[in-house]
Amino acid sequence: QLQCSAEIYNIVITSCMEVQEGAAPKDVLQVFLERAEEVQQWSLESLRVRAAARDTSTLRASQQELEALVANCCSTARSEALQLANDLEGNLEETLSSTKKVIANFQEELDSISTMKEANVETMIQLDEELQSLRRQELLCLRAMLNASIA
């Protein structure tokens, strides 16, 4: 969801730059809407590909519910970004500044999620190492018991 929103806001930045270079705001706005729709389609396709690549899913939502969630997120981001893009004839610097702040916030959220995922992986590695150690100790104990019963 964050990536979809960030992509749409990046389109706002591109649109502002196109207007600064002399493109007609009305034309740029139309292209913005087309590009935002493409982002939604890419996001949905990405969701489908990732879902198909998994053997199991631990989510309590159906594929259709997930697709509706992504589509709603894209629609919301598109509406918010459209408000900024509608000001292409106005103060471009302010629009660019506002959009860059939104993208910076998205980046902070993505970094935070990445850090949490990394911590989860490290925890799983530790648990796996401890489990292997416990199994070795269990085998040593069983071997000692077997040797004691033979003797």
Side-chain angles (χ1 to χ4, degrees):
Q1 294 176 3
L2 287 174
Q3 189 63 41
C4 173
S5 297
E7 290 292 334
I8 290 173
Y9 278 92
N10 273 323
I11 297 169
V12 173
I13 290 175
T14 302
S15 298
C16 288
M17 293 166 69
E18 289 172 359
V19 170
Q20 284 178 328
E21 293 171 359
K26 185 178 178 182
D27 295 340
V28 171
L29 190 55
Q30 182 59 41
V31 172
F32 164 82
L33 293 171
E34 292 167 5
R35 289 176 181 163
E37 179 61 30
E38 288 176 5
V39 168
Q40 180 173 334
Q41 295 309 314
W42 295 335
S43 297
L44 291 170
E45 182 62 24
S46 173
L47 178 66
R48 291 179 192 119
V49 167
R50 287 181 284 144
R54 293 186 176 170
D55 293 332
T56 60
S57 176
T58 58
L59 299 175
R60 294 185 183 139
S62 68
Q63 182 67 23
Q64 292 80 12
E65 291 169 324
L66 291 174
E67 288 182 17
L69 181 68
V70 168
N72 184 49
C73 172
C74 287
S75 177
T76 300
R78 185 173 47 244
S79 295
E80 293 170 358
L82 185 57
Q83 290 175 354
L84 290 170
N86 275 329
D87 194 31
L88 290 175
E89 293 185 46
N91 187 346
L92 288 178
E93 292 305 318
E94 185 177 319
T95 301
L96 278 169
S97 176
S98 297
T99 304
K100 287 179 181 179
K101 286 178 187 174
V102 170
I103 291 174
N105 289 337
F106 287 146
Q107 186 61 50
E108 285 181 26
E109 290 183 51
L110 287 168
D111 290 346
S112 175
I113 291 169
S114 179
T115 299
M116 287 188 295
K117 284 182 176 181
E118 190 175 307
N120 286 341
V121 168
E122 289 174 7
T123 300
M124 290 302 296
I125 290 171
Q126 277 182 325
L127 289 173
D128 186 54
E129 289 171 353
E130 289 175 17
L131 181 60
Q132 289 177 19
S133 174
L134 183 60
R135 285 182 179 158
R136 281 192 296 275
Q137 290 173 6
E138 183 181 37
L139 285 174
L140 289 174
C141 181
L142 288 172
R143 189 175 293 144
M145 289 171 50
L146 183 61
N147 288 339
S149 69
I150 294 174

